Amino acid sequence: MSTIKDVAKYTGLSMATISKYLNGGNVLEKNRAGISEAINLLGYHVNRNARSLKTNRTMTVGVVMPTLSIPFFGSVLSGLDKCLSAQGYTTFACSYDFDKGIELNKLRLLSNNNVDGIVLAPESLTPADLEGIRHAQGKDCPIILVDRTIPEFLCDSVVIDNLNATYGAVEQLIIAGHKRIGIIVGPLHISTAYERMIGYLRVQADYGMATDETQIKVGNGSADTELIKVGNYDFESGHRLFNLFMDMPNPPTALCVTNYDMTLGAITAAHERGIALGDDMGFVGFDAVDMCRIISPPLAVMEQPAELMGLRAGELLLRRMSGDAEGFPHLLRLKSILHTPIADTAKHDLYAPQSAMI
Amino acid sequence: MSTIKDVAKYTGLSMATISKYLNGGNVLEKNRAGISEAINLLGYHVNRNARSLKTNRTMTVGVVMPTLSIPFFGSVLSGLDKCLSAQGYTTFACSYDFDKGIELNKLRLLSNNNVDGIVLAPESLTPADLEGIRHAQGKDCPIILVDRTIPEFLCDSVVIDNLNATYGAVEQLIIAGHKRIGIIVGPLHISTAYERMIGYLRVQADYGMATDETQIKVGNGSADTELIKVGNYDFESGHRLFNLFMDMPNPPTALCVTNYDMTLGAITAAHERGIALGDDMGFVGFDAVDMCRIISPPLAVMEQPAELMGLRAGELLLRRMSGDAEGFPHLLRLKSILHTPIADTAKHDLYAPQSAMI
DNA sequence: GAAACAAAGCTAAACGTTTCGTTCACTTGG
DNA sequence: CCAAGTGAACGAAACGTTTAGCTTTGTTTC
């Protein structure tokens, strides 16, 4: 493998000049040509390790996700990569398979691994864990949280306006005349799940519905009430809880299901029971846009802009890595998009200050 | 950030000794203790760049996938990461979004990026492209192909026994008495799609069925015949082609659909038309295991061991990176698993020499 | 107690860049 | 014609490791 020294020797210039050329400095036109020729001839490539050793920047960012086996996080990663690779960064991706130990480990590994920045979709990490990480790393390496926040931990974050998402979804059902609306949410220690539940509660309060029966008892492990069921964000939960709802003596007339896998599970269960969602019962799902559009009758569905979320997180991270600390901690909430069978809501204006946030 | 020099100074030992300690060499017990203490106190971490510069190994592998937004490739990645991170490697993941230009670019980037190994699920790359890459990199950096092979390119690969997968799937349908069996395959320039089609043709030949009407005309862009439809491996294809089949004057009585998204599309279309798959018509899908199991009636489905594929690719790559070139090029075919509504086939013995391969 | 040997530690030279402080060779304006 | 100014190139030191080859120390053996 040839080095800068070889190129210098070949061209008769000094190493410093070659380096300047490589980094976009001023070099005479005739020398440019010579260097370029030499580089091609010798098959020279920059040695990123040597460069990183010297500059203390690796031009890599680490990404840590709960899993990569569901499309949502894959899309986030995809958006991130698009944004970052355009600026010459490469992305280290890893998942922790919902395991707290691995989550912390991977994060440690990355932060000792000299990445220039970190993007994390957390699940079980505490503020103390994160502080530990932040403290351990020498140079400061910005961290951006995506999709989920960590209570009491100050950090830049890019998330969905979960509260307004369910607020809007359930509002549609209310306007359609439903009085008894059920919801299937995720594990409540995950911020997205909690916020979605709050949106559900709030819209009903605002419309003067939903009295004591939607009272929740968070903290004792289960928040299940007659109309709120807590699942695990997986297919099986959606399927099981849909059936649970339908087996009630007085089932809800409409349902909101709050993530992709659970939506698939619920739709499947409905088909099995011969219930035509949308006709026989009100329904809004999450994320399964293609599927809900093509099904008949088409279903209303809330789309989370996963790829956009990755993109925005990337942009914010780029700013932080360039040393711009303005507005820290910055919280960016992206609007989700309600696709109704009638007409999609406008796709522009995806930013949303979460007006009604608790 | 403290360095080996600081640790050396603190302990009164030389840098060489500290390095020996870090790399598992012989160091006196009392010195071990001292070094360990110093490391904790000073918050020392190895600088991977300096180490890599010296050793010419980065302990990273690059992974290039068509997309990360579908669960299959995410699972492959997950398996890879599990295997490699256990040996101290970290994984660089990127996707090329089905774009040939990006595919080549990402690969180039990685291979100039000093990764120690590469895992690739190719789509449009030619043997010449790959040879170029191989030639450009100074030290040899092993490449493993996953899921798809490249014709006429010698390379270690880990793939599914696609031929036997459809062979087995369609055989089930034949045994159940079906005489007219349709198949929805993917783009035929992708090896998986082509092989799956061949399996379909061969089993029918073996059972003395399927004469001229299943003749294919590959090469003129479309291989569509009455019973073979070529889709794009996406939801919309599955939906559309299922309807196409059903709108025929003489539709098939059974159908095999050969990937996840198209299976979802087909199931959806069937529901819309009120066709009970499994009862009204024979059906075998691919990959949507959870869904097919929970649906009623449950559907037969062919599961591709995605995570295992990642695992095996990781193991093979580890061997290659350690310098063991035995048996190159090694082709590993993993058996897919047929889940029938009656009983799953045994899950052990996932290796399959593809006996009947063309 | 000397010779032989092994274990542990040390010195110093790399690895391939970047960058700081200089020098050199021109222009230009007065 | 000179002083000042400018753009391009240079020399050399550093970044934090690893490692070959050497020295010291300690133990065993006769």
Side-chain angles (χ1 to χ4, degrees):
Chain A
M1 213 61 223
S2 53
T3 75
I4 273 198
K5 195 183 273 180
D6 300 318
V7 178
K9 205 166 290 172
Y10 187 93
T11 55
L13 296 165
S14 77
M15 286 165 52
T17 306
I18 314 298
S19 175
K20 215 156 107 183
Y21 169 91
L22 292 172
N23 294 289
N26 278 334
V27 177
L28 283 189
E29 189 49 42
K30 63 165 182 166
N31 288 338
R32 299 194 84 74
I35 295 175
S36 161
E37 185 196 321
I39 286 179
N40 283 331
L41 215 80
L42 300 171
Y44 169 80
H45 290 297
V46 173
N47 181 321
R48 319 259 297 207
N49 292 311
R51 175 178 281 176
S52 294
L53 174 59
K54 203 51 197 161
T55 60
N56 213 23
R57 308 180 56 205
T58 55
M59 297 301 284
T60 60
V61 315
V63 183
V64 186
M65 301 263 148
T67 176
L68 291 171
S69 306
I70 75 173
F72 176 77
F73 291 109
S75 298
V76 175
L77 184 56
S78 196
L80 260 169
D81 188 52
K82 262 178 208 157
C83 170
L84 293 171
S85 68
Q87 304 300 316
Y89 284 86
T90 37
T91 335
F92 259 124
C94 50
S95 65
Y96 50 86
D97 269 312
F98 308 103
D99 179 307
K100 157 139 193 168
I102 304 182
E103 184 177 0
L104 191 54
N105 257 353
K106 293 270 182 192
L107 205 57
R108 283 227 181 86
L109 190 70
L110 281 178
S111 97
N112 296 340
N113 213 21
N114 302 328
V115 294
D116 293 342
I118 290 179
V119 176
L120 167 68
E123 184 149 314
S124 324
L125 255 37
T126 65
D129 291 331
L130 271 289
E131 287 301 350
I133 297 281
R134 247 186 202 161
H135 194 257
Q137 57 205 11
K139 57 165 182 185
D140 62 340
C141 156
I143 301 181
I144 312 274
L145 262 30
V146 289
D147 189 46
R148 299 129 177 235
T149 54
I150 301 179
E152 326 232 339
F153 178 66
L154 287 187
C155 193
D156 291 313
S157 335
V158 180
V159 297
I160 304 288
D161 67 331
N162 296 294
L163 198 158
N164 287 332
T166 43
Y167 192 106
V170 173
E171 190 171 34
Q172 288 290 319
L173 297 170
I174 294 176
I175 286 172
H178 292 281
K179 304 282 183 227
R180 249 177 99 64
I181 303 171
I183 190 170
I184 303 180
V185 296
L188 292 176
H189 72 277
I190 299 179
S191 61
T192 54
Y194 185 74
E195 291 168 6
R196 285 172 201 171
M197 187 185 65
I198 299 295
Y200 163 85
L201 291 175
R202 184 154 309 168
V203 66
Q204 302 204 59
D206 286 357
Y207 278 84
M209 310 166 48
T211 53
D212 44 293
E213 76 179 358
T214 51
Q215 303 275 320
I216 50 159
K217 341 148 219 175
V218 188
N220 62 0
S222 157
D224 287 357
T225 66
E226 213 179 335
L227 291 177
I228 302 179
K229 304 288 178 209
V230 178
N232 285 318
Y233 271 162
D234 61 7
F235 186 91
E236 185 276 337
S237 303
H239 188 266
R240 177 172 47 81
L241 295 176
F242 183 91
N243 281 323
L244 206 64
F245 268 129
M246 291 305 112
D247 290 339
M248 286 168 49
N250 179 21
T253 64
L255 201 56
C256 176
V257 185
T258 58
N259 87 328
Y260 181 80
D261 282 334
M262 295 196 302
T263 298
L264 253 50
I267 292 176
T268 306
H271 271 130
E272 286 170 33
R273 301 179 77 114
I275 297 175
L277 295 177
D279 284 349
D280 299 346
M281 106 179 268
F283 189 88
V284 186
F286 259 63
D287 280 349
V289 180
D290 289 344
M291 180 141 178
C292 290
R293 181 156 27 204
I294 217 164
I295 228 170
S296 90
L299 290 179
V301 60
M302 195 54 92
E303 180 187 6
Q304 299 187 72
E307 185 153 340
L308 182 70
M309 193 157 85
L311 218 71
R312 293 289 177 248
E315 289 169 359
L316 182 52
L317 185 58
L318 283 172
R319 266 182 44 208
R320 292 302 183 226
M321 289 191 301
S322 78
D324 172 3
E326 194 193 311
F328 177 91
H330 186 52
L331 176 66
L332 184 56
R333 282 205 184 265
L334 303 179
K335 251 174 131 162
S336 39
I337 306 153
L338 181 62
H339 298 274
T340 66
I342 321 298
D344 284 358
T345 54
K347 290 216 180 184
H348 60 275
D349 184 26
L350 285 176
Y351 288 96
Q354 185 155 327
S355 49
M357 194 58 211
I358 32 171
Chain B
M1 212 63 223
S2 53
T3 74
I4 273 198
K5 195 182 270 180
D6 300 319
V7 179
K9 204 166 290 172
Y10 187 91
T11 55
L13 296 164
S14 78
M15 286 165 51
T17 306
I18 314 298
S19 174
K20 219 156 108 182
Y21 169 92
L22 292 172
N23 293 289
N26 278 333
V27 176
L28 281 188
E29 191 46 49
K30 62 165 185 166
N31 287 338
R32 298 193 86 75
I35 296 175
S36 161
E37 184 197 321
I39 286 180
N40 284 330
L41 214 81
L42 300 171
Y44 168 80
H45 290 298
V46 174
N47 181 323
R48 318 258 301 205
N49 292 311
R51 175 179 280 177
S52 294
L53 175 59
K54 198 56 195 163
T55 59
N56 213 25
R57 306 180 58 205
T58 55
M59 297 301 283
T60 59
V61 315
V63 183
V64 186
M65 301 264 150
T67 176
L68 291 171
S69 306
I70 74 173
F72 177 77
F73 291 108
S75 298
V76 175
L77 185 56
S78 195
L80 261 169
D81 188 52
K82 262 178 208 158
C83 170
L84 293 171
S85 67
Q87 304 300 317
Y89 284 87
T90 37
T91 338
F92 259 124
C94 50
S95 66
Y96 49 87
D97 269 310
F98 308 103
D99 178 307
K100 157 140 192 166
I102 304 182
E103 184 178 1
L104 191 54
N105 257 353
K106 293 271 182 191
L107 205 57
R108 282 227 181 86
L109 189 72
L110 281 179
S111 99
N112 296 340
N113 214 21
N114 303 330
V115 295
D116 293 342
I118 290 179
V119 175
L120 167 68
E123 184 148 316
S124 324
L125 256 35
T126 66
D129 291 331
L130 271 289
E131 288 300 351
I133 297 281
R134 250 188 200 158
H135 193 258
Q137 58 205 9
K139 58 163 181 186
D140 62 341
C141 156
I143 301 181
I144 311 272
L145 262 31
V146 289
D147 190 45
R148 299 130 177 234
T149 55
I150 301 180
E152 327 230 339
F153 178 66
L154 288 187
C155 194
D156 291 312
S157 335
V158 180
V159 297
I160 303 289
D161 66 332
N162 296 295
L163 199 159
N164 288 331
T166 42
Y167 191 106
V170 173
E171 191 172 32
Q172 289 289 319
L173 297 170
I174 294 175
I175 287 173
H178 291 282
K179 303 283 183 225
R180 251 178 98 64
I181 303 170
I183 189 170
I184 302 179
V185 296
L188 292 175
H189 71 275
I190 299 178
S191 61
T192 54
Y194 186 73
E195 291 169 6
R196 283 170 201 173
M197 186 184 67
I198 300 295
Y200 163 85
L201 291 175
R202 185 156 305 167
V203 66
Q204 302 205 59
D206 287 357
Y207 278 85
M209 310 165 51
T211 54
D212 44 291
E213 78 178 357
T214 51
Q215 303 275 321
I216 52 157
K217 343 149 218 175
V218 188
N220 62 0
S222 158
D224 286 357
T225 67
E226 212 178 334
L227 290 177
I228 302 180
K229 305 287 178 210
V230 178
N232 285 317
Y233 273 162
D234 61 8
F235 187 90
E236 185 277 336
S237 303
H239 189 265
R240 177 170 48 83
L241 295 175
F242 183 90
N243 281 324
L244 206 64
F245 268 129
M246 291 305 112
D247 289 340
M248 285 168 51
N250 179 21
T253 64
L255 200 58
C256 177
V257 186
T258 59
N259 88 329
Y260 180 82
D261 282 334
M262 295 196 303
T263 298
L264 253 50
I267 292 176
T268 306
H271 271 130
E272 285 172 33
R273 302 177 77 113
I275 298 175
L277 296 178
D279 285 350
D280 300 346
M281 106 179 269
F283 189 88
V284 185
F286 260 63
D287 280 350
V289 181
D290 289 345
M291 179 141 181
C292 290
R293 181 157 29 205
I294 217 164
I295 228 169
S296 90
L299 292 178
V301 60
M302 194 55 90
E303 179 188 6
Q304 300 188 72
E307 186 154 339
L308 183 70
M309 192 156 86
L311 218 70
R312 293 291 177 248
E315 289 169 0
L316 183 52
L317 185 59
L318 284 172
R319 267 181 45 207
R320 293 301 183 228
M321 290 191 299
S322 77
D324 173 3
E326 194 194 310
F328 178 91
H330 187 51
L331 176 66
L332 184 56
R333 282 205 185 267
L334 303 179
K335 251 174 129 162
S336 39
I337 307 153
L338 180 63
H339 299 273
T340 66
I342 322 297
D344 285 359
T345 53
K347 289 217 180 183
H348 60 276
D349 184 27
L350 285 177
Y351 288 97
Q354 184 154 331
S355 49
M357 195 55 210
I358 31 172

